Amino acid sequence: MSGAGAQSDVATSADARLTPGSHTAAVNGNRLHYEVRGSGPVLLFPSPGWGPSIAYLMPQPALEAHCTVVYFDTRHSGESSGPEDPTQYTLAHFVADIEGLRQHLGGQRVFLAGHSAGGQQVLAYAIEHSADLLGVIAIDAIAAPDELRRKELVAAIERRRTHPFYASRPGFLDAGLAIVTGADSTPRSTTEVLDAIGPFYFHDPELAADVMPTLDVDETVNGYANASGFQGDDVLADLHRITVPTLVVVGDDDFICDPVSQAARIHLRIAGSTLAVIEDSGHVPWAEQPARFHAAVDAWLAASTTALA
């Protein structure tokens, strides 16, 4: 077969793999499930890695207006398969899966977006693979699980003490704080933990009842990710190696990936990055302040995709 014919076959195959709807890809010995929506340059959007499926991430209208968004369930999450081996869920494994899926989809340069621990995945990927990227969107991302993060986390919870939601529920805040800080180490399922601390993730704690059930958490992979030390990596020192346009988005009231210890330091270390702080929002800004979130993302993507033309 001629070189031109081979390239045509690859293009056709890649095009078929990017048609709207649900697909699967064989990546690093696993079957990764992904959903394609929107049109434009490809943007890969992994689930957080510790258990939730992509269900809570969709839809993302601003992303889909500018990009062919490939939401994918990370190994053993959602509809994806994964090894029954707790050593196979490190940050390096998730980075390798992003690269494997990029290759499966044709190997072109792509945008990346990630939320929370998914944000850490895309930052870590960008550190090693900036040449393969068009840009990065890190949404309420974790980059450094250090003492400053712990300090800001506790302070954010303490600020909630006078909120009517917590004031009307004696003991709720202190019980959740004990779980978050490790003072209460009672074994609990993920559902039990989220019931205890879910409201902390929101500026309006009442939203937890609507958003948390959409996480669709795989308990097994949550255990594997914890055993592998996933989310324990500090990537701050290497963020200067990211050389592509980067948007850092954070809710101003995010307690778990806060503006001070995470977003501000990510922004500071990535040259030319843009920081968008979403007011009156916690950890899930597209659900809590959709208009503000989509405006920030839309403006950045409009500029980034225009620059590609």
Side-chain angles (χ1 to χ4, degrees):
M1 181 180 293
S2 70
Q7 290 175 358
S8 177
D9 288 346
V10 170
T12 300
S13 177
D15 287 345
R17 293 168 179 177
L18 286 167
T19 56
S22 294
H23 303 263
T24 58
V27 174
N28 296 327
N30 303 307
R31 186 192 71 256
L32 298 187
H33 163 256
Y34 65 96
E35 178 87 15
V36 179
R37 301 186 181 196
S39 60
V42 173
L43 182 151
L44 304 184
F45 200 150
S47 64
W50 57 267
S53 75
I54 56 175
Y56 87 102
L57 297 171
M58 302 186 294
Q60 295 283 343
L63 298 181
E64 294 169 20
H66 296 280
C67 296
T68 300
V69 184
V70 179
Y71 305 91
F72 71 95
D73 287 321
T74 49
R75 52 175 61 194
H76 214 311
S77 296
E79 298 180 41
S80 291
S81 69
E84 303 300 338
D85 179 352
T87 69
Q88 301 298 302
Y89 293 84
T90 66
L91 183 58
H93 288 101
F94 291 112
V95 167
D97 287 350
I98 293 173
E99 174 60 8
L101 183 58
R102 188 183 72 85
Q103 293 292 343
H104 173 82
L105 297 174
Q108 71 268 54
R109 293 171 69 203
V110 298
F111 286 99
L112 285 183
H115 173 244
S116 193
Q120 187 181 47
Q121 292 177 46
V122 303
L123 290 172
Y125 181 93
I127 288 167
E128 301 295 337
H129 298 277
S130 277
D132 298 315
L133 294 177
L134 300 171
V136 174
I137 303 174
I139 307 167
D140 293 84
I142 178 174
D146 58 8
E147 184 56 32
L148 180 58
R149 184 201 188 197
R150 177 185 171 87
K151 177 182 176 181
E152 290 297 318
L153 181 150
V154 171
I157 295 175
E158 289 293 347
R159 287 195 296 271
R160 286 156 166 73
R161 207 169 275 282
T162 58
H163 191 288
F165 178 92
Y166 301 103
S168 66
R169 293 166 171 79
F172 185 97
L173 189 145
D174 286 322
L177 182 60
I179 292 172
V180 168
T181 60
D184 179 354
S185 58
T186 304
R188 291 178 174 85
S189 68
T190 306
T191 299
E192 290 171 333
V193 171
L194 293 179
D195 284 344
I197 69 170
F200 295 166
Y201 286 84
F202 300 88
H203 180 72
D204 176 3
E206 300 283 359
L207 287 176
D210 296 325
V211 178
M212 286 304 183
T214 68
L215 288 180
D216 185 28
V217 176
D218 184 309
E219 292 281 354
T220 300
V221 74
N222 186 33
Y224 290 166
N226 287 336
S228 284
F230 179 57
Q231 299 188 68
D233 298 87
D234 187 332
V235 301
L236 281 178
D238 291 318
L239 289 179
H240 67 279
R241 294 168 56 190
I242 298 177
T243 58
V244 294
T246 300
L247 174 63
V248 182
V249 185
V250 66
D252 67 346
D253 197 22
D254 187 348
F255 92 107
I256 197 75
C257 293
D258 67 274
V260 174
S261 77
Q262 304 303 306
R265 290 195 290 176
I266 295 169
H267 170 53
L268 180 65
R269 286 162 174 77
I270 302 176
S273 62
T274 300
L275 176 63
V277 179
I278 310 301
E279 295 182 356
D280 299 327
S281 179
H283 191 57
V284 194
W286 66 89
E288 192 153 21
Q289 296 292 344
R292 294 172 183 174
F293 173 80
H294 294 312
V297 173
D298 180 76
W300 186 84
L301 273 175
S304 297
T305 53
T306 298
L308 298 176

